[in-house]
mmCIF file of all heavy atoms in Angstrom:
data_model
loop_
_atom_site.group_PDB
_atom_site.id
_atom_site.type_symbol
_atom_site.label_atom_id
_atom_site.label_comp_id
_atom_site.label_asym_id
_atom_site.label_seq_id
_atom_site.Cartn_x
_atom_site.Cartn_y
_atom_site.Cartn_z
ATOM 1 N N ILE F 232 95.360 219.460 52.331
ATOM 2 C CA ILE F 232 96.320 220.546 52.230
ATOM 3 C C ILE F 232 97.639 220.129 52.872
ATOM 4 O O ILE F 232 98.714 220.375 52.335
ATOM 5 C CB ILE F 232 95.760 221.830 52.869
ATOM 6 C CG1 ILE F 232 94.630 222.394 52.002
ATOM 7 C CG2 ILE F 232 96.887 222.867 53.084
ATOM 8 C CD1 ILE F 232 93.799 223.469 52.667
ATOM 9 N N LYS F 234 98.686 216.848 53.661
ATOM 10 C CA LYS F 234 99.272 215.572 53.320
ATOM 11 C C LYS F 234 98.910 215.052 51.933
ATOM 12 O O LYS F 234 99.340 213.990 51.542
ATOM 13 C CB LYS F 234 98.804 214.494 54.315
ATOM 14 C CG LYS F 234 99.158 214.810 55.783
ATOM 15 C CD LYS F 234 98.743 213.700 56.664
ATOM 16 C CE LYS F 234 98.904 214.058 58.118
ATOM 17 N NZ LYS F 234 98.448 212.976 59.013
ATOM 18 N N GLY F 235 98.081 215.840 51.201
ATOM 19 C CA GLY F 235 97.653 215.403 49.870
ATOM 20 C C GLY F 235 96.606 214.318 49.961
ATOM 21 O O GLY F 235 96.321 213.810 51.032
ATOM 22 N N GLU F 237 97.143 211.525 48.868
ATOM 23 C CA GLU F 237 97.993 210.399 49.222
ATOM 24 C C GLU F 237 98.000 210.093 50.726
ATOM 25 O O GLU F 237 98.084 208.967 51.097
ATOM 26 C CB GLU F 237 99.403 210.806 48.740
ATOM 27 C CG GLU F 237 100.459 209.792 48.886
ATOM 28 C CD GLU F 237 101.870 210.402 48.628
ATOM 29 O OE1 GLU F 237 101.919 211.549 48.123
ATOM 30 O OE2 GLU F 237 102.850 209.753 48.933
ATOM 31 N N SER F 317 94.092 221.245 43.075
ATOM 32 C CA SER F 317 95.078 220.597 42.220
ATOM 33 C C SER F 317 95.077 219.082 42.380
ATOM 34 O O SER F 317 95.124 218.317 41.418
ATOM 35 C CB SER F 317 96.462 221.160 42.551
ATOM 36 O OG SER F 317 97.356 220.755 41.550
ATOM 37 N N GLU F 318 94.937 218.622 43.596
ATOM 38 C CA GLU F 318 94.868 217.177 43.857
ATOM 39 C C GLU F 318 93.627 216.560 43.224
ATOM 40 O O GLU F 318 93.673 215.470 42.674
ATOM 41 C CB GLU F 318 94.863 216.870 45.385
ATOM 42 C CG GLU F 318 96.109 217.315 46.134
ATOM 43 C CD GLU F 318 97.118 216.178 46.323
ATOM 44 O OE1 GLU F 318 96.850 215.067 45.900
ATOM 45 O OE2 GLU F 318 98.205 216.495 46.890
ATOM 46 N N ASP F 321 94.032 216.324 39.512
ATOM 47 C CA ASP F 321 94.816 215.127 39.161
ATOM 48 C C ASP F 321 93.990 213.862 39.264
ATOM 49 O O ASP F 321 94.074 212.967 38.416
ATOM 50 C CB ASP F 321 96.013 214.983 40.152
ATOM 51 C CG ASP F 321 97.078 216.018 39.920
ATOM 52 O OD1 ASP F 321 97.068 216.676 38.853
ATOM 53 O OD2 ASP F 321 97.916 216.219 40.817
ATOM 54 N N ARG F 322 93.183 213.757 40.312
ATOM 55 C CA ARG F 322 92.364 212.595 40.452
ATOM 56 C C ARG F 322 91.288 212.489 39.343
ATOM 57 O O ARG F 322 90.914 211.413 38.934
ATOM 58 C CB ARG F 322 91.702 212.566 41.824
ATOM 59 C CG ARG F 322 91.349 211.169 42.277
ATOM 60 C CD ARG F 322 90.702 211.235 43.609
ATOM 61 N NE ARG F 322 90.920 210.079 44.422
ATOM 62 C CZ ARG F 322 90.075 209.056 44.580
ATOM 63 N NH1 ARG F 322 88.963 209.075 43.919
ATOM 64 N NH2 ARG F 322 90.365 208.047 45.358
ATOM 65 N N ARG F 324 91.520 213.025 36.377
ATOM 66 C CA ARG F 324 92.104 212.369 35.167
ATOM 67 C C ARG F 324 91.860 210.842 35.283
ATOM 68 O O ARG F 324 91.783 210.140 34.287
ATOM 69 C CB ARG F 324 93.592 212.685 35.081
ATOM 70 C CG ARG F 324 94.228 212.336 33.728
ATOM 71 C CD ARG F 324 95.644 212.755 33.717
ATOM 72 N NE ARG F 324 96.377 212.286 34.919
ATOM 73 C CZ ARG F 324 96.831 211.059 35.088
ATOM 74 N NH1 ARG F 324 96.653 210.176 34.150
ATOM 75 N NH2 ARG F 324 97.477 210.761 36.193
ATOM 76 N N ARG F 325 91.826 210.322 36.464
ATOM 77 C CA ARG F 325 91.790 208.875 36.702
ATOM 78 C C ARG F 325 90.470 208.357 37.206
ATOM 79 O O ARG F 325 90.248 207.173 37.322
ATOM 80 C CB ARG F 325 92.809 208.540 37.796
ATOM 81 C CG ARG F 325 94.230 208.815 37.396
ATOM 82 C CD ARG F 325 95.187 208.379 38.515
ATOM 83 N NE ARG F 325 95.525 209.437 39.437
ATOM 84 C CZ ARG F 325 95.070 209.507 40.688
ATOM 85 N NH1 ARG F 325 94.284 208.582 41.185
ATOM 86 N NH2 ARG F 325 95.407 210.484 41.454
ATOM 87 N N THR F 341 86.273 229.099 32.884
ATOM 88 C CA THR F 341 86.868 229.496 31.621
ATOM 89 C C THR F 341 85.868 230.234 30.730
ATOM 90 O O THR F 341 86.159 231.239 30.140
ATOM 91 C CB THR F 341 87.427 228.264 30.898
ATOM 92 O OG1 THR F 341 88.325 227.564 31.754
ATOM 93 C CG2 THR F 341 88.174 228.619 29.623
ATOM 94 N N ARG F 358 91.139 243.878 21.316
ATOM 95 C CA ARG F 358 91.395 243.792 19.896
ATOM 96 C C ARG F 358 90.488 242.699 19.288
ATOM 97 O O ARG F 358 90.117 241.725 19.936
ATOM 98 C CB ARG F 358 92.877 243.444 19.639
ATOM 99 C CG ARG F 358 93.342 242.170 20.277
ATOM 100 C CD ARG F 358 94.831 241.900 19.994
ATOM 101 N NE ARG F 358 95.362 240.909 20.898
ATOM 102 C CZ ARG F 358 95.224 239.598 20.708
ATOM 103 N NH1 ARG F 358 94.604 239.115 19.628
ATOM 104 N NH2 ARG F 358 95.731 238.724 21.602
ATOM 105 N N THR F 360 91.012 240.562 17.032
ATOM 106 C CA THR F 360 91.624 239.329 16.545
ATOM 107 C C THR F 360 91.612 238.193 17.586
ATOM 108 O O THR F 360 92.078 237.125 17.294
ATOM 109 C CB THR F 360 93.098 239.634 16.150
ATOM 110 O OG1 THR F 360 93.741 240.269 17.206
ATOM 111 C CG2 THR F 360 93.137 240.483 14.885
ATOM 112 N N ASP F 362 90.712 235.174 19.745
ATOM 113 C CA ASP F 362 89.883 233.978 19.793
ATOM 114 C C ASP F 362 89.446 233.837 21.234
ATOM 115 O O ASP F 362 90.279 233.485 22.099
ATOM 116 C CB ASP F 362 90.700 232.767 19.328
ATOM 117 C CG ASP F 362 90.012 231.440 19.586
ATOM 118 O OD1 ASP F 362 88.880 231.404 20.125
ATOM 119 O OD2 ASP F 362 90.654 230.390 19.301
ATOM 120 N N VAL F 368 91.323 230.239 27.964
ATOM 121 C CA VAL F 368 92.164 229.171 28.458
ATOM 122 C C VAL F 368 93.484 229.735 28.967
ATOM 123 O O VAL F 368 93.963 229.407 30.050
ATOM 124 C CB VAL F 368 92.424 228.094 27.370
ATOM 125 C CG1 VAL F 368 93.524 227.144 27.758
ATOM 126 C CG2 VAL F 368 91.156 227.349 27.072
ATOM 127 N N ARG F 382 104.498 231.128 42.957
ATOM 128 C CA ARG F 382 104.227 232.075 41.861
ATOM 129 C C ARG F 382 103.377 233.240 42.306
ATOM 130 O O ARG F 382 103.024 234.094 41.545
ATOM 131 C CB ARG F 382 103.458 231.395 40.737
ATOM 132 C CG ARG F 382 104.212 230.430 39.938
ATOM 133 C CD ARG F 382 104.493 230.981 38.541
ATOM 134 N NE ARG F 382 104.724 229.929 37.592
ATOM 135 C CZ ARG F 382 105.896 229.658 37.062
ATOM 136 N NH1 ARG F 382 106.961 230.423 37.329
ATOM 137 N NH2 ARG F 382 106.071 228.704 36.200
ATOM 138 N N GLN F 385 103.896 236.876 41.564
ATOM 139 C CA GLN F 385 103.830 237.377 40.181
ATOM 140 C C GLN F 385 102.419 237.697 39.713
ATOM 141 O O GLN F 385 102.203 238.046 38.568
ATOM 142 C CB GLN F 385 104.446 236.291 39.241
ATOM 143 C CG GLN F 385 105.923 236.208 39.409
ATOM 144 C CD GLN F 385 106.568 235.121 38.568
ATOM 145 O OE1 GLN F 385 106.501 233.968 38.950
ATOM 146 N NE2 GLN F 385 107.087 235.488 37.399
ATOM 147 N N GLU F 392 99.976 242.039 32.408
ATOM 148 C CA GLU F 392 100.410 241.547 31.096
ATOM 149 C C GLU F 392 99.230 240.976 30.302
ATOM 150 O O GLU F 392 99.147 241.129 29.078
ATOM 151 C CB GLU F 392 101.503 240.455 31.236
ATOM 152 C CG GLU F 392 102.214 240.059 29.961
ATOM 153 C CD GLU F 392 102.892 241.249 29.295
ATOM 154 O OE1 GLU F 392 103.568 242.023 29.975
ATOM 155 O OE2 GLU F 392 102.774 241.345 28.034
ATOM 156 N N ARG F 395 97.387 243.857 28.807
ATOM 157 C CA ARG F 395 98.076 244.372 27.616
ATOM 158 C C ARG F 395 97.934 243.358 26.429
ATOM 159 O O ARG F 395 97.797 243.786 25.291
ATOM 160 C CB ARG F 395 99.586 244.527 27.910
ATOM 161 C CG ARG F 395 99.901 245.701 28.768
ATOM 162 C CD ARG F 395 101.401 246.001 28.803
ATOM 163 N NE ARG F 395 102.167 244.996 29.496
ATOM 164 C CZ ARG F 395 102.406 245.019 30.818
ATOM 165 N NH1 ARG F 395 101.912 245.969 31.566
ATOM 166 N NH2 ARG F 395 103.141 244.079 31.372
ATOM 167 N N ILE U 146 100.729 207.111 36.567
ATOM 168 C CA ILE U 146 99.780 207.519 35.496
ATOM 169 C C ILE U 146 98.442 206.842 35.738
ATOM 170 O O ILE U 146 97.356 207.442 35.605
ATOM 171 C CB ILE U 146 100.329 207.224 34.120
ATOM 172 C CG1 ILE U 146 101.487 208.222 33.786
ATOM 173 C CG2 ILE U 146 99.262 207.287 33.048
ATOM 174 C CD1 ILE U 146 102.310 207.828 32.603
ATOM 175 N N LYS U 148 97.324 205.260 38.695
ATOM 176 C CA LYS U 148 96.747 205.339 40.032
ATOM 177 C C LYS U 148 97.114 206.538 40.856
ATOM 178 O O LYS U 148 96.662 206.651 41.991
ATOM 179 C CB LYS U 148 97.146 204.060 40.833
ATOM 180 C CG LYS U 148 96.763 202.780 40.141
ATOM 181 C CD LYS U 148 97.197 201.589 41.040
ATOM 182 C CE LYS U 148 96.973 200.268 40.338
ATOM 183 N NZ LYS U 148 97.408 199.140 41.184
ATOM 184 N N GLY U 149 97.955 207.427 40.284
ATOM 185 C CA GLY U 149 98.404 208.565 41.085
ATOM 186 C C GLY U 149 99.422 208.192 42.119
ATOM 187 O O GLY U 149 99.693 207.028 42.350
ATOM 188 N N GLU U 151 98.865 208.559 45.079
ATOM 189 C CA GLU U 151 97.971 208.017 46.053
ATOM 190 C C GLU U 151 97.911 206.456 46.007
ATOM 191 O O GLU U 151 97.793 205.811 47.015
ATOM 192 C CB GLU U 151 96.575 208.575 45.773
ATOM 193 C CG GLU U 151 95.480 208.251 46.718
ATOM 194 C CD GLU U 151 94.142 208.642 46.130
ATOM 195 O OE1 GLU U 151 94.067 209.376 45.127
ATOM 196 O OE2 GLU U 151 93.125 208.223 46.721
ATOM 197 N N SER U 231 102.210 216.507 37.172
ATOM 198 C CA SER U 231 101.240 217.200 37.989
ATOM 199 C C SER U 231 101.210 216.654 39.433
ATOM 200 O O SER U 231 101.142 217.432 40.398
ATOM 201 C CB SER U 231 99.844 217.060 37.355
ATOM 202 O OG SER U 231 98.956 217.939 37.940
ATOM 203 N N GLU U 232 101.294 215.338 39.564
ATOM 204 C CA GLU U 232 101.308 214.745 40.883
ATOM 205 C C GLU U 232 102.563 215.200 41.628
ATOM 206 O O GLU U 232 102.521 215.429 42.830
ATOM 207 C CB GLU U 232 101.278 213.226 40.792
ATOM 208 C CG GLU U 232 100.052 212.618 40.170
ATOM 209 C CD GLU U 232 99.007 212.197 41.178
ATOM 210 O OE1 GLU U 232 99.270 212.269 42.375
ATOM 211 O OE2 GLU U 232 97.938 211.765 40.734
ATOM 212 N N ASP U 235 102.234 218.712 42.842
ATOM 213 C CA ASP U 235 101.414 218.769 44.057
ATOM 214 C C ASP U 235 102.203 218.365 45.264
ATOM 215 O O ASP U 235 102.157 218.955 46.335
ATOM 216 C CB ASP U 235 100.204 217.825 43.937
ATOM 217 C CG ASP U 235 99.163 218.333 42.957
ATOM 218 O OD1 ASP U 235 99.200 219.523 42.612
ATOM 219 O OD2 ASP U 235 98.352 217.509 42.551
ATOM 220 N N ARG U 236 102.994 217.339 45.110
ATOM 221 C CA ARG U 236 103.792 216.869 46.235
ATOM 222 C C ARG U 236 104.903 217.854 46.589
ATOM 223 O O ARG U 236 105.249 217.972 47.754
ATOM 224 C CB ARG U 236 104.431 215.516 45.902
ATOM 225 C CG ARG U 236 104.735 214.738 47.152
ATOM 226 C CD ARG U 236 105.414 213.442 46.764
ATOM 227 N NE ARG U 236 105.130 212.353 47.665
ATOM 228 C CZ ARG U 236 105.954 211.929 48.603
ATOM 229 N NH1 ARG U 236 107.082 212.510 48.840
ATOM 230 N NH2 ARG U 236 105.623 210.906 49.381
ATOM 231 N N ARG U 238 104.711 220.946 46.847
ATOM 232 C CA ARG U 238 104.172 221.869 47.779
ATOM 233 C C ARG U 238 104.345 221.403 49.226
ATOM 234 O O ARG U 238 104.440 222.205 50.148
ATOM 235 C CB ARG U 238 102.670 222.106 47.456
ATOM 236 C CG ARG U 238 102.046 223.331 48.109
ATOM 237 C CD ARG U 238 100.615 223.469 47.709
ATOM 238 N NE ARG U 238 99.867 222.226 47.815
ATOM 239 C CZ ARG U 238 99.392 221.799 48.961
ATOM 240 N NH1 ARG U 238 99.561 222.451 50.064
ATOM 241 N NH2 ARG U 238 98.744 220.657 48.999
ATOM 242 N N ARG U 239 104.347 220.132 49.406
ATOM 243 C CA ARG U 239 104.372 219.528 50.755
ATOM 244 C C ARG U 239 105.695 218.907 51.122
ATOM 245 O O ARG U 239 105.896 218.490 52.271
ATOM 246 C CB ARG U 239 103.305 218.413 50.823
ATOM 247 C CG ARG U 239 101.929 218.890 50.619
ATOM 248 C CD ARG U 239 100.945 217.746 50.732
ATOM 249 N NE ARG U 239 100.635 217.122 49.481
ATOM 250 C CZ ARG U 239 101.039 215.909 49.118
ATOM 251 N NH1 ARG U 239 101.798 215.193 49.895
ATOM 252 N NH2 ARG U 239 100.697 215.406 47.928
ATOM 253 N N THR U 255 110.345 228.177 32.226
ATOM 254 C CA THR U 255 109.756 229.503 32.127
ATOM 255 C C THR U 255 110.793 230.522 31.657
ATOM 256 O O THR U 255 110.510 231.383 30.828
ATOM 257 C CB THR U 255 109.197 229.919 33.531
ATOM 258 O OG1 THR U 255 108.273 228.929 33.972
ATOM 259 C CG2 THR U 255 108.470 231.256 33.451
ATOM 260 N N ARG U 272 105.974 243.182 20.713
ATOM 261 C CA ARG U 272 105.715 244.552 21.199
ATOM 262 C C ARG U 272 106.610 244.846 22.392
ATOM 263 O O ARG U 272 106.951 243.964 23.202
ATOM 264 C CB ARG U 272 104.242 244.717 21.551
ATOM 265 C CG ARG U 272 103.729 243.809 22.643
ATOM 266 C CD ARG U 272 102.250 244.057 22.961
ATOM 267 N NE ARG U 272 101.700 242.957 23.698
ATOM 268 C CZ ARG U 272 101.815 242.772 24.972
ATOM 269 N NH1 ARG U 272 102.441 243.687 25.728
ATOM 270 N NH2 ARG U 272 101.285 241.742 25.570
ATOM 271 N N THR U 274 106.097 246.533 25.006
ATOM 272 C CA THR U 274 105.464 246.704 26.324
ATOM 273 C C THR U 274 105.412 245.406 27.140
ATOM 274 O O THR U 274 104.950 245.384 28.250
ATOM 275 C CB THR U 274 104.007 247.191 26.133
ATOM 276 O OG1 THR U 274 103.341 246.282 25.206
ATOM 277 C CG2 THR U 274 103.959 248.605 25.583
ATOM 278 N N ASP U 276 106.221 242.522 29.562
ATOM 279 C CA ASP U 276 107.040 242.187 30.750
ATOM 280 C C ASP U 276 107.423 240.714 30.515
ATOM 281 O O ASP U 276 106.586 239.810 30.650
ATOM 282 C CB ASP U 276 106.184 242.328 31.979
ATOM 283 C CG ASP U 276 106.816 241.740 33.252
ATOM 284 O OD1 ASP U 276 107.934 241.166 33.141
ATOM 285 O OD2 ASP U 276 106.187 241.782 34.275
ATOM 286 N N VAL U 282 105.395 233.358 32.264
ATOM 287 C CA VAL U 282 104.500 232.618 33.176
ATOM 288 C C VAL U 282 103.171 232.300 32.475
ATOM 289 O O VAL U 282 102.684 231.171 32.532
ATOM 290 C CB VAL U 282 104.240 233.423 34.446
ATOM 291 C CG1 VAL U 282 103.107 232.800 35.279
ATOM 292 C CG2 VAL U 282 105.506 233.474 35.303
ATOM 293 N N ARG U 296 91.987 219.344 27.432
ATOM 294 C CA ARG U 296 92.295 220.652 26.804
ATOM 295 C C ARG U 296 93.154 220.463 25.588
ATOM 296 O O ARG U 296 93.539 221.450 24.947
ATOM 297 C CB ARG U 296 93.095 221.514 27.802
ATOM 298 C CG ARG U 296 92.303 222.095 28.913
ATOM 299 C CD ARG U 296 92.104 223.580 28.694
ATOM 300 N NE ARG U 296 91.816 224.219 29.956
ATOM 301 C CZ ARG U 296 90.667 224.720 30.344
ATOM 302 N NH1 ARG U 296 89.629 224.640 29.519
ATOM 303 N NH2 ARG U 296 90.453 225.303 31.463
ATOM 304 N N GLN U 299 92.712 222.115 22.184
ATOM 305 C CA GLN U 299 92.830 223.561 22.089
ATOM 306 C C GLN U 299 94.229 224.062 21.926
ATOM 307 O O GLN U 299 94.492 225.276 21.868
ATOM 308 C CB GLN U 299 92.198 224.230 23.333
ATOM 309 C CG GLN U 299 90.690 224.072 23.359
ATOM 310 C CD GLN U 299 90.089 224.599 24.624
ATOM 311 O OE1 GLN U 299 90.070 223.941 25.663
ATOM 312 N NE2 GLN U 299 89.590 225.821 24.622
ATOM 313 N N GLU U 306 96.869 232.171 19.625
ATOM 314 C CA GLU U 306 96.470 233.323 20.427
ATOM 315 C C GLU U 306 97.654 233.902 21.183
ATOM 316 O O GLU U 306 97.751 235.116 21.362
ATOM 317 C CB GLU U 306 95.354 232.908 21.400
ATOM 318 C CG GLU U 306 94.681 234.069 22.102
ATOM 319 C CD GLU U 306 94.000 235.013 21.125
ATOM 320 O OE1 GLU U 306 93.340 234.581 20.159
ATOM 321 O OE2 GLU U 306 94.179 236.243 21.308
ATOM 322 N N ARG U 309 99.578 236.068 18.784
ATOM 323 C CA ARG U 309 98.896 237.355 18.617
ATOM 324 C C ARG U 309 99.068 238.242 19.832
ATOM 325 O O ARG U 309 99.220 239.469 19.724
ATOM 326 C CB ARG U 309 97.420 237.157 18.333
ATOM 327 C CG ARG U 309 97.094 236.638 16.955
ATOM 328 C CD ARG U 309 95.595 236.723 16.658
ATOM 329 N NE ARG U 309 94.800 235.786 17.422
ATOM 330 C CZ ARG U 309 94.548 234.529 17.100
ATOM 331 N NH1 ARG U 309 95.082 234.023 16.002
ATOM 332 N NH2 ARG U 309 93.787 233.771 17.823
#
Side-chain angles (χ1 to χ4, degrees):
Chain F
I232 289 166
K234 303 182 187 178
E237 184 190 349
S317 192
E318 296 264 359
D321 289 343
R322 204 180 211 261
R324 194 178 48 80
R325 297 181 268 107
T341 306
R358 60 179 164 83
T360 51
D362 168 1
V368 168
R382 288 250 203 252
Q385 289 176 279
E392 191 60 43
R395 287 192 290 273
Chain U
I146 289 166
K148 302 181 186 179
E151 184 191 349
S231 192
E232 297 264 356
D235 288 344
R236 205 182 211 259
R238 194 178 48 81
R239 298 181 268 109
T255 305
R272 61 179 163 82
T274 52
D276 168 0
V282 168
R296 287 252 202 251
Q299 289 175 280
E306 191 60 43
R309 287 192 289 275

